[in-house]
């Protein structure tokens, strides 16, 4: 599902639409500071045409939120058509894309929505020099799909220009690994005002270069090569056809077209994370903190995402089967013949209806149903009932020294424990699925906590439990909501910003509280020395720092 908003400079939402395919008209004039925001729920690719004068583009959005500030002034007229973003009626087209189109061979360089010096969305163009920093020479002009090489100046004759220099470099970044097979170069051909580059090198991420010779023409010049994996294509080593006196003149790039395909990242491998020392964590940057404890992209189409933490050897798994039936298997990290040879697992389905098969026995898993599968079961498969509303299986697993029977626990059978109060902004219900008072497990405990409307604090007042670690999965959040997850020692607290369906690892020495922009839910899973829920070291709020 996609969300499209027009947001004013002061944060007011002037227009809002959502759906898998949005084709809407905003009636009204754009104002300075307005921005169009697209929020993605699923794959980080979106097809967009935010004005009828722009070429339709497939854009890679790694962080799932795309912002396009409406251009005004000289940038608008230098880079866009005269009718672009003008008037009182604006058609906006945004749609999700099927995987064959995302990952199939196509023109992967075009992005008419690219912006100068905004390396957040891809493809994105950047150069080491732009003539006078003039918008008519911005790097994005050479990937917008407009090919008019016979003149120079504002739209439609805009281009990338680097002035009277031969030390130029022009880079096209894809944001992730692609496989490319062809580069087509359109040189600006406003002769005799222009000269042209007679040669350049095409460089890839690994430093390999291919030499290209050019001729004096405005037609596309094709350079083909064997398939090459790369995250960017760089033009470098430019050599001009100089004037008769040897002086440099004006040469520019009208368009750069790259043919290839994005490489789909399979998440079926297991990511391994070492245990972290509390003394070291005090000095972590935000990025390092997230690298160690934050888990994103748990649910991607027809993939299995697994993170193995050496903190009590817990494994966190996300599955979202669409067309495939996914099988849980042991990798080399477990040194086991099958996944549950020496382990147990718990699973809660947070998506649509699904089916889990355990050694031939079928379990129907409706939304919020849970299941415990004990040690020794060999064949585990997972599938969705409806492709349009897929199941999302969230699984945690820990070592087990004995066997217990498989038990399905739907949310009505979970033990309900009301907690908190409206006054303290933490009124909630704890649904205990895998718990000593519900069923037997070796060491795993797992459940779902749901906060009431108007409450946004969890696990506050906070505590630690040196004998157990914990993992939280935050869910039931909107695309623009967040939970600030508090962690660290009581006198050295840190926070990690969490978004919907993201997990966080909490070592035994760390607090694990959170506060959200609105109410939400979270799944907790614990393993360690015991299952005693009152085995906690409580911390008074006044002691936190």
């Amino acid at each position: 599902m996609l969300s499209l908003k027009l947001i004013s400079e002061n944060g007011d939402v002037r227009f809002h639409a959502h759906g898998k395919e949005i084709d809407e008209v905003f009636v009204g004039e754009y104002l300075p500071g307005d921005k169009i925001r697209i929020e993605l729920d699923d794959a980080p690719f979106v097809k967009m045409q935010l004005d009828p004068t722009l070429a339709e583009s497939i854009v890679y959005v790694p962080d799932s939120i795309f912002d396009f500030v409406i251009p005004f002034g000289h940038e608008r007229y230098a880079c866009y058509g005269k009718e672009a973003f003008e008037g009182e009626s604006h058609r906006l087209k945004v749609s999700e894309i099927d995987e064959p189109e995302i990952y199939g061979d196509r023109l992967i360089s075009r992005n008419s929505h690219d912006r100068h010096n905004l390396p957040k969305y891809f493809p994105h163009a950047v150069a080491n020099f732009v003539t006078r920093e003039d918008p008519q020479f911005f790097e994005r002009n050479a990937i917008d799909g407009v090919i008019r090489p016979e003149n120079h100046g504002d739209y439609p004759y805009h281009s990338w220009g680097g002035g009277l220099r031969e030390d130029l470099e022009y880079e096209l970044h894809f944001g992730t690994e692609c496989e490319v097979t062809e580069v087509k170069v359109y040189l600006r051909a406003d002769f005799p005002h222009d000269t042209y580059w007679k040669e350049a090198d095409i460089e890839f991420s690994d430093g390999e270069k291919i030499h290209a010779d050019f001729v004096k023409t405005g037609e596309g010049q094709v350079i083909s090569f064997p398939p090459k994996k790369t995250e960017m294509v760089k033009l470098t080593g430019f050599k001009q056809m100089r004037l008769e006196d040897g002086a440099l003149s004006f040469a520019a790039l009208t368009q750069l077209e790259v043919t290839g395909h994005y490489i789909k990242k399979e998440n079926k491998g297991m990511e391994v994370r070492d245990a972290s020392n509390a003394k070291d964590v005090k000095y972590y940057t935000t990025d390092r903190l997230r690298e160690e404890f934050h888990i994103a992209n748990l649910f991607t189409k027809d993939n299995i995402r697994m993170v193995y933490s050496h903190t009590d050897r817990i494994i966190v798994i996300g599955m979202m089967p669409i067309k495939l039936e996914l099988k849980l298997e042991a990798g080399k990290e477990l040194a086991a013949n099958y996944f549950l040879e020496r382990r147990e697992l718990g699973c809660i389905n947070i998506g649509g209806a699904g089916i889990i098969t355990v050694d031939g026995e079928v379990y129907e898993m409706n939304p919020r149903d849970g299941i415990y599968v004990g040690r020794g079961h060999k064949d585990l498969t997972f599938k969705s009932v409806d492709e349009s509303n897929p199941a999302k299986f969230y699984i945690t697993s820990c070592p087990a020294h004995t066997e217990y029977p498989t038990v399905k626990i739907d949310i009505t059978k979970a033990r309900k424990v009301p907690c908190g109060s409206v006054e303290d902004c933490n009124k909630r219900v704890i649904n205990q699925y895998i718990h000593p008072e519900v069923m037997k497990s070796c060491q795993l405990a797992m459940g779902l906590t749901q906060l009431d409307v108007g409450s946004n604090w969890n696990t506050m007042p906070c505590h630690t439990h040196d004998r157990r670690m914990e993992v939280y999965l935050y869910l039931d959040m909107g695309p623009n909501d967040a939970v600030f997850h508090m962690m660290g020692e009581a006198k050295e607290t840190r926070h990690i910003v969490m978004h919907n369906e993201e997990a966080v690892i909490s070592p035994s020495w760390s607090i694990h509280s959170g506060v959200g922009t609105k109410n939400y839910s979270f799944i907790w899973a614990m393993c360690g020395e015991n299952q005693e829920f009152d085995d906690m070291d409580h911390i008074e709020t006044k002691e936190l720092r």
Side-chain angles (χ1 to χ4, degrees), residues 2 20-22 45-48 93-97:
L2 300 170
K20 292 186 176 182
E21 187 170 340
I22 300 170
F45 290 88
V46 61
K47 183 181 290 185
M48 64 177 71
K93 295 176 64 179
V94 180
S95 62
E96 293 183 351
I97 325 168

Side-chain angles (χ1 to χ4, degrees), residues 418-483:
C419 287
S421 66
V422 173
E423 293 77 12
D424 291 327
C425 301
N426 64 357
K427 188 178 181 183
R428 60 198 188 275
V429 174
I430 302 174
N431 297 277
Q432 296 173 337
Y433 286 69
I434 302 172
H435 183 276
E437 297 195 36
V438 179
M439 50 155 293
K440 287 185 177 182
S441 65
C442 183
Q443 64 162 320
L444 181 65
M446 194 172 181
L448 169 68
T449 298
Q450 298 168 302
L451 278 72
D452 280 11
V453 174
S455 288
N456 49 15
W457 275 104
N458 74 69
T459 327
M460 181 63 75
C462 62
H463 61 262
T464 60
H465 26 70
D466 283 343
R467 290 145 296 279
R468 296 193 307 275
M469 65 84 64
E470 201 155 359
V471 175
Y472 279 8
L473 174 79
Y474 288 101
L475 64 153
D476 295 339
M477 300 160 60
N480 203 36
D481 293 327
V483 170

Side-chain angles (χ1 to χ4, degrees), residues 122-343:
F122 304 92
H124 172 65
V126 62
N128 64 340
F129 189 77
V130 170
T131 303
R132 299 188 300 274
E133 281 296 303
D134 189 327
Q136 68 177 254
F137 300 118
F138 278 172
E139 307 97 314
R140 54 87 52 206
N141 299 338
I143 60 170
D144 68 350
V146 179
I147 304 174
R148 295 291 300 273
E150 69 273 18
N151 204 336
H152 70 278
D154 290 345
Y155 183 96
Y157 306 112
H158 55 312
S159 59
W160 168 65
L164 307 179
R165 303 170 59 136
E166 279 195 332
D167 61 344
L168 298 171
E169 294 183 340
Y170 181 93
E171 299 177 8
L172 177 60
H173 293 265
F174 305 115
T176 187
E177 192 173 45
C178 296
E179 186 172 81
V180 300
T181 57
E182 181 182 284
V183 171
K184 183 183 286 188
V185 175
Y186 291 85
L187 302 179
R188 199 179 68 193
D190 184 16
F191 307 124
H193 175 275
D194 286 348
T195 184
Y196 65 96
W197 291 301
K198 60 181 182 179
E199 59 182 290
D201 291 324
I202 301 171
E203 184 176 335
F204 304 103
S205 297
D206 62 2
E208 182 184 347
K209 293 181 180 179
I210 296 173
H211 188 73
D213 293 312
F214 303 125
V215 297
K216 184 180 180 181
T217 180
E219 299 295 320
Q221 303 184 58
V222 176
I223 304 96
S224 299
F225 40 83
K228 180 69 180 177
K229 290 183 178 179
T230 186
E231 293 186 2
M232 65 91 177
V233 168
K234 178 193 286 189
L235 299 182
T236 185
F238 289 94
K239 299 296 181 186
Q240 279 193 16
M241 178 60 71
R242 297 196 179 209
L243 302 179
E244 290 183 2
D245 61 1
L248 293 170
S249 186
F250 295 100
L253 180 66
T254 293
Q255 201 73 189
L256 175 66
E257 294 184 344
V258 179
T259 299
H261 63 266
Y262 274 79
I263 297 175
K264 182 178 179 181
K265 291 185 177 180
E266 300 288 347
N267 287 326
K268 294 181 180 179
M270 189 179 296
E271 177 188 348
V272 178
R273 301 193 187 182
D274 292 327
S276 298
N277 188 312
K279 294 179 181 178
D280 295 336
V281 172
K282 298 176 184 181
Y283 305 102
Y284 284 1
T285 63
T286 297
D287 286 344
R288 179 68 191 283
L289 203 67
R290 293 175 71 85
E291 180 184 349
E292 294 292 337
F293 303 108
H294 177 256
I295 304 174
N297 301 318
L298 271 167
F299 304 101
T300 58
K301 292 180 178 180
D302 287 328
N303 278 331
I304 302 174
R305 168 94 158 112
M306 294 191 279
V307 177
Y308 182 116
S309 172
H310 280 294
T311 303
D312 282 314
R313 300 189 180 275
I314 197 166
I315 298 177
V316 177
I317 304 170
M319 296 187 191
M320 187 174 69
I322 306 291
K323 297 181 180 298
L324 302 180
E325 183 174 37
L326 302 177
K327 184 176 182 179
L328 186 59
E329 297 178 302
K332 62 185 176 78
E333 296 83 3
L334 299 186
N337 294 313
Y338 51 95
F339 191 87
L340 293 183
E341 185 176 11
R342 298 183 297 272
R343 288 184 158 267

Side-chain angles (χ1 to χ4, degrees), residues 43-58:
F45 290 88
V46 61
K47 183 181 290 185
M48 64 177 71
Q49 187 180 25
L50 300 183
D51 189 272
T53 64
L54 300 182
E56 189 175 68
S57 304
I58 294 175

